[in-house]
Amino acid sequence: MNNKEWLRQLSNLTGLPYYEEHRIFGDKNGALIGTRDGYIVALGLGKAEGGHAGVKMLLRYAKTQDPKLIKQTLDPAKGKFKQVTTEATTANLVRIYSLGKPDAASVAEPLPGLLAAMKTCASPIDGKCEECGRDEPQVVLLNDLPSRYCPSCQVQLTQKLDAAATEYENLETNLPLGLLYGAGAALLGSIAWGGVAYLLHRIFLWGAILIGLFVAKALVMGIGKVTWTARGMIGVLTAASVAFGDAIFYALTVMSDDHVPFMAALKAVLANFWKIETDSDSGVLSIVFGLIGAVWVMYSTRKPAFKARFVTLDTASTPLSGPGTK
Ligand SMILES: [Zn+2]
């Protein structure tokens, strides 16, 4: 059975309307989105963690202070759904499959039990705007999450996020402070790297990633905002930090082997640095690892997303008939 037929069948079994165009779980065949007993329910196919194929279910309720309680209450009712994760307003359930899609009936089966469990621990959204509590008959998608948001709260949220985005764009960047923090962190990283390598007689490549993280954190803290200049500086400083750490390590080794003062040893090492570094087993590799750390941080400090995208469910696709038909 193809996915669309399967979803249609599931729609008939659960009474939840099927929307081919709303890919809220990432699957191109769309999803079922509707309400049951005042709760918002969505079902569909999608990728589970680790890339497994899965059936996904979303249950949404009025904001709770105790999502853990909801998880505990839903767990015994989850049937073949594997994981239940709960947040303040949403429970996510995933059922992983490897060969064929599970039988639609077996997917629909735990739903009544889940709803019954839900009634004991979470209030329904019950046709009310989740922000202001006014009556709101329509379910809309807020960044792909089925929600109830009245028109005025939609406008407010959009404006709020637009303002946050503008504010972020207009943030002052303090390049000198960022450079100062970043360089300070890089120097500390070098000393730690060289010292640890000397004391333990080995180089920990993973340490280079830590230095990348450390440099990036410090630099971003100083600069106040992630820009491409900041990203570039994180990369350069991390590589320099690890390279200088290597130099400190070589210099400490020369110092104790040849009984010369540290600064003299460091001078000699720096004069021939590139040759020593490329001759060493892990020299260049350590710089590469430092860059991996830096790239990771550059990615994790990417610009936050400020956007509220509201999409109405297509009113033309009327709910299908309830259980028992077909
Ligand atoms: Zn509202």
Side-chain angles (χ1 to χ4, degrees):
M1 188 184 302
N2 76 33
N3 289 350
K4 282 190 176 137
E5 280 172 40
W6 186 85
L7 284 161
R8 249 174 244 126
Q9 195 181 52
L10 191 60
S11 173
N12 279 334
L13 288 165
T14 57
L16 295 167
Y18 171 29
Y19 297 96
E20 274 186 37
E21 69 276 31
H22 295 315
R23 304 169 175 182
I24 61 167
F25 296 114
D27 181 68
K28 65 180 193 313
N29 298 293
L32 316 185
I33 305 163
T35 52
R36 273 283 167 281
D37 302 334
Y39 301 98
I40 297 175
V41 183
L43 262 168
L45 299 166
K47 285 267 177 293
E49 248 170 71
H52 293 285
V55 180
K56 294 192 165 183
M57 187 193 290
L58 208 70
L59 297 166
R60 303 207 54 240
Y61 34 83
K63 195 178 236 159
T64 171
Q65 302 303 324
D66 195 0
K68 245 169 106 188
L69 173 73
I70 297 184
K71 181 180 161 52
Q72 284 164 6
T73 316
L74 292 184
D75 249 330
K78 68 184 189 289
K80 289 197 173 121
F81 280 89
K82 208 169 149 238
Q83 317 150 313
V84 183
T85 48
T86 52
E87 292 155 39
T89 60
T90 310
N92 284 286
L93 287 83
V94 182
R95 175 171 173 179
I96 292 167
Y97 61 89
S98 45
L99 295 168
K101 284 183 296 295
D103 183 36
S106 81
V107 171
E109 190 230 287
L111 187 56
L114 283 166
L115 289 167
M118 191 94 100
K119 280 177 207 165
T120 68
C121 63
S123 314
I125 295 172
D126 245 353
K128 299 259 195 286
C129 169
E130 293 177 46
E131 265 314 293
C132 67
R134 265 187 292 234
D135 285 341
E136 175 49 48
Q138 302 280 357
V139 171
V140 291
L141 301 179
L142 164 56
N143 297 339
D144 275 347
L145 184 73
S147 326
R148 280 192 198 274
Y149 251 85
C150 73
S152 78
C153 286
Q154 288 187 25
V155 172
Q156 265 180 32
L157 183 68
T158 308
Q159 281 171 351
K160 203 169 98 189
L161 290 182
D162 284 353
T166 315
E167 198 180 315
Y168 186 84
E169 284 310 321
N170 294 338
L171 268 184
E172 292 285 328
T173 54
N174 193 334
L175 208 60
L177 192 64
L179 203 57
L180 188 72
Y181 280 23
L187 187 62
L188 285 177
S190 298
I191 294 169
W193 174 264
V196 168
Y198 175 69
L199 290 175
L200 302 180
H201 301 288
R202 57 174 293 198
I203 277 177
F204 292 97
L205 289 173
W206 290 106
I209 295 186
L210 288 180
I211 292 179
L213 287 169
F214 184 50
V215 168
K217 280 249 165 11
L219 196 138
V220 169
M221 195 193 287
I223 204 168
K225 176 183 167 183
V226 185
T227 58
W228 280 107
T229 321
R231 291 189 175 97
M233 290 194 318
I234 291 168
V236 171
L237 283 173
T238 300
S241 174
V242 173
F244 191 57
D246 281 345
I248 291 176
F249 166 55
Y250 302 142
L252 285 169
T253 311
V254 171
M255 180 183 79
S256 73
D257 288 357
D258 301 350
H259 307 286
V260 290
F262 176 73
M263 288 315 285
L266 186 61
K267 231 179 197 170
V269 165
L270 288 176
N272 302 291
F273 180 70
W274 194 243
K275 188 176 176 324
I276 303 175
E277 187 79 332
T278 43
D279 281 353
S280 146
D281 287 340
S282 51
V284 175
L285 203 56
S286 61
I287 295 179
V288 170
F289 266 68
L291 286 176
I292 293 175
V295 168
W296 182 15
V297 174
M298 284 186 239
Y299 180 73
S300 65
T301 53
R302 69 200 183 282
K303 194 184 142 186
F306 298 110
K307 203 80 208 149
R309 194 166 43 86
F310 286 101
V311 177
T312 46
L313 296 177
D314 180 15
T315 42
S317 66
T318 46
L320 295 174
S321 45
T325 48
K326 198 175 181 184

